[in-house]
Amino acid sequence: MFPRWGLMPMNSVRPSAPQLQGMEPYDPKYLPADTLLSANENPSDVEEELRREIQREIRRVPLNRYPDPLANELRDMIAEANGLERDQILLGNGGDELLFNTALAWGGPGRKFLNLPPTFSVYAANARLTGTEVVDIPRRADYSIDEEAVLARVAQGGIDFLIVTSPNNPTGELADSVFIERLLEATDALVMVDEAYFEFSRHTVRPLLGKHKNLVILRTFSKAFSLAAVRLGYLLGDADVIREFIKVRQPYSVDAVSQAIARVVFRNRAKFEPAIQAIVDERARVLDGLSRIPGVTAYPSESNYIMFRIKDAGEVWNSLYERGVLVRDFSRAPYLEDCLRVTVGKREENDAFLAALKEVAIARL
Ligand SMILES: *Cc1c(COP(=O)(O)O)cnc(C)c1O
């Protein structure tokens, strides 16, 4: 064997997979700022006493051994809290990993994902990465789901999975549970209901799980439970559906330290309730504050963020950032022209945001 390339050493790489061409890597646009209101995180870190308990739990973790691949202790805790069995729960490295696994297990070349834009952009990106065709049914002007159009499309057949985000990110409204039930009855497509923010909306379609094998619910520790840094999310679903997810997952994606942290937090989840209620209360105050700022249209939210519209939102985003306030800019995203999203933070953070926005808005009148 005399390789032809032996004479001239190469220093180049052939193109990556075709579905990556022209794609932008995901960028959360997380910048340093005094007031961080861009990523829908809980503004309060885990309290000191719980952190000490977490430290004790981590100290017991053997670091030289592989973790329990399925995190069965956590599965049992989550199952019990939801009136389900262990085999109906699956943990993932953040909800994001489980979303990717959804596209791996139910998508792929020749298969179709029904998307309800504007919504979480990760869904369409995962479809693209896995060669899954995306069928868009855009939301109405007020961002409610075009329910009849969705039902009509699934009735035509050929949809392999869809994701209904409830509350929707970034627009904030819940999906109607009557609609979700009609959807589950109308199709055998896998219907994921993304309840990443359910602790703030206090609405879940979990009661439908027993009746509908094609329903799977996504939850996360990142938002209400202050663990965005830890990367843990979970699914509730039918045991046969969970089994398909287990086939595509990386066996050790949920590390032993994260499992230990999440066990402590889940066991103590009632302690997070006052902070969650404070965010819900602040949400009403921020919405009210936004409605008093000239030129601003705010959308009601069942979540821990509020989307609002303001002319030249990209410039407004900059002016807010210059004043130390980081919010999320959606103004160049499809269907979200002139929209920004602000996370509900602590009272003083929300006041800083409202004061800065008021100043910017009045200067632009
Ligand atoms: C934050 C979020 C998730 C999951 O986030 P992880 O940090 O990966 O658990 C899932 N769906 C939506 C709509 C979200 O906003």
Side-chain angles (χ1 to χ4, degrees):
M1 280 288 280
F2 296 96
R4 285 171 198 280
W5 39 264
L7 291 174
M8 276 285 277
M10 287 221 278
N11 184 20
S12 64
V13 62
R14 58 174 59 200
S16 61
Q19 66 271 27
L20 305 190
Q21 305 313 309
M23 189 170 186
E24 293 287 332
Y26 183 79
D27 175 8
K29 303 190 181 72
Y30 210 79
L31 299 165
D34 292 338
T35 306
L36 292 170
L37 298 175
S38 74
N40 300 344
E41 296 148 331
N42 192 317
S44 311
D45 201 343
V46 177
E47 54 156 78
E48 207 38 55
E49 202 189 310
L50 269 190
R51 287 182 83 100
R52 279 197 292 274
E53 199 176 328
I54 285 170
Q55 277 159 12
R56 285 193 294 274
E57 189 95 4
I58 290 175
R59 222 174 285 140
R60 283 198 288 267
V61 173
L63 296 178
N64 61 324
R65 303 294 177 195
Y66 282 96
D68 172 0
L70 292 172
N72 279 323
E73 260 188 83
L74 258 181
R75 283 174 103 191
D76 288 344
M77 291 164 74
I78 295 169
E80 198 196 329
N82 287 280
L84 301 170
E85 300 295 325
R86 173 192 283 187
D87 58 5
Q88 294 182 276
I89 312 293
L90 184 65
L91 277 296
N93 189 283
D96 283 354
E97 181 190 30
L98 297 165
L99 288 171
F100 186 64
N101 290 351
T102 309
L104 273 180
W106 261 267
R111 294 174 66 99
K112 291 187 177 70
F113 161 57
L114 193 149
N115 196 30
L116 308 176
T119 187
F120 199 34
S121 62
V122 167
Y123 310 151
N126 288 339
R128 184 168 174 178
L129 281 173
T130 53
T132 311
E133 185 183 328
V134 179
V135 176
D136 278 333
I137 305 273
R139 287 161 184 267
R140 299 200 193 88
D142 65 355
Y143 299 119
S144 61
I145 295 169
D146 190 343
E147 297 178 357
E148 298 312 318
V150 173
L151 291 167
R153 182 59 192 84
V154 297
Q156 277 176 34
I159 300 297
D160 295 290
F161 71 104
L162 51 136
I163 304 179
V164 182
T165 321
S166 185
N168 188 41
N169 182 6
T171 59
E173 73 284 89
L174 277 170
D176 180 15
S177 57
V178 174
F179 160 69
I180 290 173
E181 187 149 28
R182 286 174 70 199
L183 184 59
L184 289 164
E185 281 162 7
T187 180
D188 64 355
L190 183 76
V191 177
M192 171 176 279
V193 179
D194 183 342
E195 294 185 351
Y197 300 94
F198 116 96
E199 293 87 356
F200 303 104
S201 74
R202 308 190 191 285
H203 276 81
T204 175
V205 293
R206 189 190 60 204
L208 301 177
L209 271 179
K211 288 184 271 181
H212 298 282
K213 197 176 168 103
N214 57 337
L215 171 63
V216 62
I217 297 172
L218 179 70
R219 304 256 182 90
T220 179
F221 283 82
S222 295
K223 311 294 173 29
F225 296 115
S226 300
L227 291 187
V230 171
R231 313 307 305 132
L232 264 178
Y234 59 95
L235 295 178
L236 313 176
D238 182 89
D240 292 334
V241 169
I242 296 296
R243 207 176 113 78
E244 298 307 298
F245 273 90
I246 294 174
K247 291 181 187 173
V248 299
R249 75 187 289 271
Q250 299 197 40
Y252 300 112
S253 65
V254 179
D255 67 86
V257 173
S258 297
Q259 291 183 30
I261 297 171
R263 283 196 301 271
V264 174
V265 165
F266 198 79
R267 216 184 283 136
N268 289 281
R269 62 192 178 284
K271 293 192 176 141
F272 289 77
E273 198 44 49
I276 292 170
Q277 187 56 48
I279 290 167
V280 169
D281 294 342
E282 277 294 291
R283 179 176 74 201
R285 205 176 64 84
V286 174
L287 186 67
D288 182 64
L290 280 168
S291 73
R292 292 165 196 277
I293 298 176
V296 171
T297 308
Y299 294 83
S301 170
E302 302 285 335
S303 202
N304 69 336
Y305 49 82
I306 297 174
M307 194 177 75
F308 60 98
R309 180 163 262 154
I310 184 167
K311 197 167 164 298
D312 301 321
E315 289 171 27
V316 171
W317 181 91
N318 255 319
S319 304
L320 288 172
Y321 190 62
E322 283 164 11
R323 285 164 177 75
V325 180
L326 182 72
V327 299
R328 188 70 187 262
D329 183 4
F330 284 96
S331 61
R332 279 172 295 273
Y335 311 100
L336 296 173
E337 195 188 339
D338 281 339
C339 286
L340 303 177
R341 184 194 69 197
V342 63
T343 303
V344 179
K346 294 181 180 170
R347 192 179 179 94
E348 52 286 10
E349 295 171 319
N350 302 330
D351 284 340
F353 158 71
L354 287 169
L357 183 64
K358 192 169 173 184
E359 200 177 284
V360 171
I362 286 172
R364 300 181 69 86
L365 280 182

